[in-house]
């Protein structure tokens, strides 16, 4: 009974937002001591800030009593509290920004590594703009929150807590009256906002990602869109995404406007405090100084709470961003065996046993029950009509896809259980569509695990007969590929040189010479065959000339093997019903 095909976990547009901070806690390992110092500085700074308010009441009492000496001492004490509190607050904010920045840098590295090490099927299943948005936009938004809003938020919460403690120490009845008048309605307003803001902020993030993805995917297709007259249709689709974003922004604005009801709550509280305070002063329960302390403190509480309520929206947005990044980390996962492990043997045979592969449930097998052995030094061509599964088989052979059924092994090691870094040391695939990174041609050529440098690159260029081509470039190997646009065929040539520098045990070429003329292709394929030595060479090809030069030809989708050379020792055949 065949095993069911594994499914690729897709990213959620609106990922679960429960226990986000608990799930993010592991990323704070190594920063907990610094966070403890930051919390202590923040608490001390907030305590001193509240102490300024309390000391001001004593200044008022000294002034009312005509004690000039006490007045001077208390004024100096207030000034000292302001200075020391300001320094501590600055230090706590600076520490929080630094710790947050380091934690986010680690999160960004983890996210980039997760996507870089994710199965190819996961990457192919998502729009490039969506992955880019989560890797850059969401983490950049978190960085802005940590650098700007979070310090204000932490300070406001600490000062509010310390202020309530200080007020209770001065007059518990008046403090209780204040809390009963202010806290319940304020909490209800904030809870209503949070209930509505969660879906609103999540939809905004998803709509922004859709707009970014739509625009990003159009950039490489601009020539095709313009020549086919499809720009208006693309704009219609972009407009639909943009309209969705507009609706989401309006829902977000409506949720944020609900926080304005806090102004009504504050007005009611001021009235309660004035009446209660006047009654207590009239009875001689409170001094004028204590009354001043309450008026100043409650005004500060209102101001801080307004800032806190305003920051709640930004905090909610950051909460959604963090949930989307954690969703990316969870969905990308880590490939099996990514802990390193011993290197694979330098040479060995590649074997496929009962390999089956499908792109999804109900889509049918692209490769079905294929068994094949590619020995060291073998030269195999995979041929077949368009859509027969040639490129898919190439990715299975290269270990970029894990089979749904069966095994792909090199030198007896199942590739699905080997670290990808180790697989890439032994098996290299050169695709038809080659992408070069920004930098010089030399930097692109030497992006291999063998540590190759300029001399090795020059020798590889010469072995493939490409010296004249490199010399024709403006700066030779130092030509910047981002400034000097290489053609598709030239990018393929660069990829072939890089493949030689990688010195793999198995080299897979997926139409890797389709972008160059036939004579050049024949010369390069012959040079590659020689340069490969005892390494196996698997070529996916359409050209009859390439097929004719092969020792063995595997034809898809039938899976029939044809021997083209007498040196094929055992006449082994692939099997594929």
């Amino acid at each position: 009974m065949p095993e069911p095909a594994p499914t690729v976990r897709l990213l959620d547009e609106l990922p679960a937002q429960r226990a986000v901070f608990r799930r993010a806690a592991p990323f704070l390992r190594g920063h907990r001591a610094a966070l403890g110092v930051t919390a202590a500085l923040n608490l001390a700074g907030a305590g001193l800030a509240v102490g300024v308010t309390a000391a001001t009441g004593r200044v008022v009492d000294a002034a009312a009593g005509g004690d000039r000496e006490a007045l001077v001492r208390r004024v100096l004490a207030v000034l000292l509290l302001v200075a020391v509190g300001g320094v501590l607050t600055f230090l706590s904010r600076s520490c929080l920004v630094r710790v947050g920045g380091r934690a986010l840098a680690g999160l960004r590295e983890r996210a980039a590594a997760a996507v870089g090490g994710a199965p190819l099927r996961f990457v192919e299943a998502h729009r490039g703009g969506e992955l880019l948005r989560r890797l850059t936009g969401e983490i950049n938004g978190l960085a802005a929150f940590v650098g700007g809003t979070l310090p204000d938020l932490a300070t406001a919460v600490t000062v509010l807590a310390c202020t309530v403690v200080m007020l209770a120490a001065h007059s518990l009845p008046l403090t209780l009256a204040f809390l009963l008048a202010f806290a319940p309605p304020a909490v209800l307003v904030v809870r209503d906002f949070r209930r509505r803001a969660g879906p609103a902020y999540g939809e905004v993030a998803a709509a922004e990602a859709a707009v970014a993805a739509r625009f990003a995917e159009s950039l490489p297709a601009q020539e095709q869109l313009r020549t086919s007259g499809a720009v208006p249709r693309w704009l219609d689709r972009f407009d639909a995404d943009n309209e969705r974003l507009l609706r989401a922004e309006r829902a977000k604005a409506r949720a944020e406007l609900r926080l304005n009801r806090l102004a009504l709550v504050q007005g009611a509280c001021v009235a309660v405090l004035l009446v209660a305070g006047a009654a207590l002063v009239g009875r001689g329960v409170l001094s004028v100084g204590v009354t001043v302390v309450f008026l100043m403190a409650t005004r500060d509480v209102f101001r801080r709470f307004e800032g806190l309520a305003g920051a709640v929206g930004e905090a909610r947005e950051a909460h959604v961003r963090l949930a989307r990044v954690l969703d990316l980390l969870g969905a990308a996962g880590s490939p099996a065996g990514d802990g390193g492990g011993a290197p694979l043997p330098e040479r060995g045979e590649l074997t496929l046993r009962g390999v089956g592969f499908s792109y999804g449930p109900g889509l049918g097998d692209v490769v079905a029950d294929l068994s094949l052995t590619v020995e060291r030094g073998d030269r195999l061509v995979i041929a077949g009509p368009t859509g027969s599964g040639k490129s898919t088989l190439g990715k299975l052979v290269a270990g970029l896809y894990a089979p749904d059924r069966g095994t792909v092994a090199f030198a007896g090691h199942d590739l699905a259980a080997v670290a990808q870094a180790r697989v890439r040391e032994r098996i290299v695939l050169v695709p038809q569509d080659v992408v070069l990174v920004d930098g010089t041609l030399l930097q692109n050529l030497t992006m291999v695990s063998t540590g190759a440098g300029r001399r090795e690159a020059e020798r590889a260029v010469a072995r493939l007969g490409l010296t004249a081509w490199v010399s024709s470039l403006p700066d030779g190997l130092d030509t910047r590929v981002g400034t000097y646009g290489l053609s598709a065929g030239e990018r393929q040539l660069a990829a072939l040189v890089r493949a030689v520098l990688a010195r793999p045990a198995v080299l897979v070429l997926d139409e890797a010479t389709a972008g160059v003329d036939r004579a050049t292709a024949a010369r390069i394929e012959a040079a590659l065959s020689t340069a490969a030595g005892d390494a196996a060479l698997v070529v996916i090809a359409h050209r009859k000339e390439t097929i004719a030069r092969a020792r063995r030809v595997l034809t898809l989708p039938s899976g029939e093997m044809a021997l083209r050379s007498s040196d094929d020792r055992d006449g082994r055949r692939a099997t594929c019903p």
Side-chain angles (χ1 to χ4, degrees):
M1 186 78 179
E3 299 175 5
T7 58
V8 176
R9 179 186 160 186
L10 299 178
L11 295 174
D12 292 325
E13 276 199 341
L14 301 174
Q17 298 173 34
R18 292 184 178 180
V20 165
F21 295 115
R22 180 177 59 79
R23 290 187 282 134
F27 298 102
L28 295 177
R29 290 173 186 164
H31 304 292
R32 290 175 181 173
L35 283 173
V37 172
T38 301
L41 289 172
N42 189 41
L43 181 61
L48 290 178
V50 173
V52 169
T53 303
T56 301
R58 301 192 66 188
V59 169
V60 172
D61 285 339
D67 189 347
R68 298 186 62 181
E69 184 178 347
L71 178 62
V72 171
R73 288 199 309 270
R74 293 173 182 179
V75 167
L76 291 176
V78 168
L79 293 176
L80 181 62
L81 288 174
V82 169
V84 176
V87 171
L88 291 177
T89 300
F90 171 79
L91 291 176
S92 69
R93 291 171 65 92
S94 299
C95 288
L96 183 57
V97 170
R98 285 198 298 270
V99 172
R102 287 196 295 268
L104 284 176
L107 182 63
R108 184 182 288 109
E109 291 174 1
R110 286 280 297 274
V115 174
L120 185 60
R121 295 175 74 174
F122 170 82
V123 178
E124 291 178 342
H126 293 90
R127 301 166 73 180
E130 171 66 20
L131 296 177
L132 183 64
R133 174 73 185 182
R134 299 208 185 194
L135 281 172
T136 57
E138 309 299 9
I139 296 180
N140 289 343
L142 285 171
F145 174 76
V146 168
T149 306
L150 184 59
D152 294 336
L153 202 58
T155 300
V157 170
T158 311
V159 169
L160 283 173
C162 292
T163 300
V164 171
V165 173
M166 183 269 293
L167 290 177
H170 279 79
S171 174
L172 185 58
L174 195 56
T175 301
L176 290 176
F178 166 68
L179 290 178
L180 288 174
F182 180 70
V187 169
L188 288 176
V189 170
V190 173
R191 286 186 63 182
D192 180 57
F193 166 76
R194 290 188 59 188
R195 181 175 60 84
R196 296 175 182 273
Y201 280 100
E203 177 62 14
V204 167
E208 286 177 345
V211 169
R214 182 75 65 191
F215 187 74
E217 68 187 10
S218 74
L219 294 178
Q222 281 298 312
E223 181 179 355
Q224 181 179 349
L225 288 172
R226 296 182 186 188
T227 55
S228 62
V231 171
R233 290 192 175 184
W234 176 84
L235 287 175
D236 288 341
R237 300 178 71 180
F238 183 84
D239 288 344
D241 290 332
N242 199 35
E243 184 63 28
R244 176 191 175 189
L245 177 57
L246 178 61
R247 290 195 301 270
E249 290 283 3
R250 288 173 176 168
K252 171 186 168 184
R254 287 194 296 271
E256 291 175 344
L257 286 173
R258 291 182 171 271
L259 290 173
N260 291 341
R261 290 179 292 178
L262 286 173
L264 298 176
V265 176
Q266 293 173 11
C269 287
V270 170
V272 170
L273 284 175
L274 287 174
V275 172
L280 292 173
V281 169
R283 295 177 183 179
V285 177
L286 293 182
S287 68
V288 175
V290 172
T291 304
V292 171
V293 168
F294 262 88
L295 290 175
M296 292 180 61
T298 51
R299 186 183 64 177
D300 189 51
V301 166
F302 292 149
R303 182 174 61 85
R304 299 276 185 182
F305 199 85
E306 281 182 3
L308 188 63
V312 166
E314 296 180 39
R316 191 64 183 175
E317 186 174 2
H319 188 264
V320 171
R321 291 183 185 277
L322 182 57
R324 286 170 61 81
V325 174
L326 293 178
D327 181 51
L328 173 65
L329 289 171
S334 345
D338 256 7
L344 293 170
E346 291 191 3
R347 291 292 184 267
E349 67 177 18
L350 185 74
T351 57
L352 283 72
R353 291 287 179 264
V355 169
F357 183 87
S358 170
Y359 281 102
L363 297 180
D365 285 341
V366 179
V367 177
D369 196 26
L370 178 65
S371 296
L372 171 69
T373 298
V374 182
E375 297 181 347
R376 58 184 297 177
D378 201 354
R379 302 294 185 263
L380 171 68
V381 166
I382 301 175
T386 300
S388 59
K390 300 187 300 299
S391 294
T392 300
L393 179 57
K395 292 174 182 177
L396 287 165
V397 167
L400 294 173
Y401 283 170
D404 298 336
R405 299 177 302 281
T407 60
V408 179
F410 173 77
H413 298 269
D414 186 352
L415 297 186
V418 178
Q420 277 294 303
R422 296 305 189 188
V423 175
R424 298 282 72 79
E425 291 172 353
R426 299 293 177 256
I427 306 176
V428 171
L429 181 142
V430 179
Q432 181 174 353
D433 297 321
V434 177
V435 178
L436 300 180
V437 301
D438 185 45
T440 66
L441 177 60
L442 179 63
Q443 290 171 332
N444 275 272
L445 296 182
T446 54
M447 291 180 67
V448 291
S449 61
T450 56
R454 179 178 288 272
R455 290 186 179 180
E456 292 81 3
E458 289 173 344
R459 285 198 292 268
V461 167
R463 291 179 71 180
L464 292 180
L466 298 174
T467 303
W469 166 64
V470 172
S471 299
S472 69
L473 300 177
D475 296 306
L477 288 174
D478 296 314
T479 300
R480 294 195 67 85
V481 297
T483 304
Y484 180 80
L486 298 180
S487 68
E490 288 176 317
R491 292 196 299 272
Q492 285 188 330
L493 296 180
L496 293 170
V497 175
R498 184 164 55 196
V500 170
L501 290 172
R503 300 197 299 270
V506 179
L507 177 58
V508 183
L509 306 178
D510 186 359
E511 299 284 356
T513 57
V516 298
D517 61 88
R518 295 176 183 273
T520 303
R523 187 174 69 252
I524 290 176
E525 288 170 4
L528 272 173
S529 181
T530 302
D534 62 347
L537 192 61
V538 179
V539 180
I540 299 170
H542 272 109
R543 286 178 174 171
K544 294 180 180 179
E545 299 88 341
T546 300
I547 297 173
R549 288 191 292 269
R551 296 180 186 176
R552 295 193 299 164
V553 177
L554 172 66
T555 302
L556 295 181
S558 65
E560 295 182 355
M561 183 76 74
L563 306 182
R564 294 299 181 102
S565 175
S566 60
D567 63 359
D568 231 323
R569 294 182 295 276
D570 58 6
R572 188 179 282 112
R573 292 174 64 88
T575 60
C576 181

